[in-house]
Amino acid sequence: GAGVSQSPSNKVTEKGKDVELRCDPISGHTALYWYRQRLGQGLEFLIYFQGNSAPDKSGLPSDRFSAERTGESVSTLTIQRTQQEDSAVYLCASSAQNIQYFGAGTRLSVL
Amino acid sequence: AQSVSQHNHHVILSEAASLELGCNYSYGGTVNLFWYVQYPGQHLQLLLKYFSGDPLVKGIKGFEAEFIKSKFSFNLRKPSVQWSDTAEYFCAVSPWGAGNNRKLIWGLGTSLAVNP
């Protein structure tokens, strides 16, 4: 596609449930990032994938968070046993030449 | 720790006013610098960037930014704002060096409201 695509655009879940968020990067972009944006705050780095290298998971806030990427395509971010503090917009970006291109995000609401 | 500071959290201007949004970062090495903009209901998009060369960079929609290395600053400017510039503006820095993995470090953003 022409841009970074994220799904779902909105997700409402109950506390304790698992959720899976999806990101389709721009074709040919080897780098992919996940960020979290809480209301009124900046972007918080979560995880970074670069080609076949081991991902940089240094931003994941707890072991309830994990992410996978299949080759240089789709990535999924999984949050297990969701908590209310996980409510945020989760943004995905793919990158070429050190410029990041963002998707519209998934707004996660944990009730 | 590396950080990016945006001095203005909320700015309200009238149309045709001049704009300057401050951005300072803490990192002593080489950096790439970015301003991203998020218009209401839209996703983040690149406004302008600095990688090297002329420290005064021009972006879309009449915006420009000046990299002042000695001040660790990358302030965003526009001589005359329009109502359509109402948006959230984010400064971001990509430090170079081992272990940085081209991550972007983000400021908290500045919300700009332009009154017609």
Side-chain angles (χ1 to χ4, degrees):
Chain A
V4 177
S5 177
Q6 291 188 246
S7 60
S9 54
N10 284 282
K11 176 71 176 177
V12 180
T13 190
E14 294 179 351
K15 178 181 173 181
K17 300 282 189 182
D18 297 351
V19 295
E20 190 173 278
L21 313 180
R22 177 187 169 104
C23 173
D24 282 274
I26 294 172
S27 177
H29 284 191
T30 57
L32 186 147
Y33 302 77
W34 282 98
Y35 294 93
R36 178 170 68 181
Q37 185 178 24
R38 290 194 169 116
L39 188 65
Q41 298 188 21
L43 274 69
E44 177 187 3
F45 166 77
L46 297 178
I47 189 168
Y48 161 70
F49 296 91
Q50 173 63 60
N52 294 320
S53 302
D56 177 352
K57 303 180 180 180
S58 61
L60 294 178
S62 77
D63 59 8
R64 296 187 295 105
F65 288 72
S66 63
E68 300 290 334
R69 187 180 186 194
T70 307
E72 294 184 354
S73 60
V74 172
S75 176
T76 55
L77 176 69
T78 302
I79 309 173
Q80 296 178 309
R81 305 181 301 281
T82 53
Q83 304 294 313
Q84 288 184 331
E85 62 263 28
D86 299 334
S87 296
V89 176
Y90 290 83
L91 292 168
C92 175
S94 68
S95 175
Q97 298 179 326
N98 206 25
I99 297 172
Q100 296 189 17
Y101 299 84
F102 285 82
T106 294
R107 182 175 299 278
L108 175 65
S109 299
V110 182
L111 304 178
Chain B
Q2 300 156 355
S3 65
V4 175
S5 176
Q6 290 184 240
H7 313 301
N8 317 97
H9 296 295
H10 300 282
V11 174
I12 302 174
L13 295 172
S14 298
E15 276 193 319
S18 64
L19 170 72
E20 180 160 2
L21 301 182
C23 174
N24 286 88
Y25 63 93
S26 62
Y27 183 73
T30 302
V31 292
N32 290 163
L33 299 157
F34 306 83
W35 276 96
Y36 278 82
V37 60
Q38 188 168 27
Y39 297 104
Q42 298 187 27
H43 58 269
L44 272 165
Q45 57 186 286
L46 182 68
L47 192 59
L48 49 77
K49 67 186 187 298
Y50 172 81
F51 284 2
S52 64
D54 188 344
L56 183 63
V57 293
K58 296 190 184 297
I60 59 172
K61 303 187 180 184
F63 285 90
E64 65 179 30
E66 184 175 14
F67 170 47
I68 303 179
K69 188 174 181 179
S70 62
K71 295 184 178 180
F72 301 92
S73 69
F74 191 55
N75 293 353
L76 180 70
R77 299 194 293 251
K78 184 171 183 178
S80 176
V81 295
Q82 300 174 312
W83 176 78
S84 59
D85 294 325
T86 295
E88 190 87 15
Y89 293 81
F90 293 92
C91 180
V93 175
S94 175
W96 282 70
N100 283 309
N101 284 334
R102 304 288 186 97
K103 289 187 296 189
L104 286 183
I105 302 167
W106 294 81
L108 294 180
T110 297
S111 175
L112 171 65
V114 180
N115 295 322

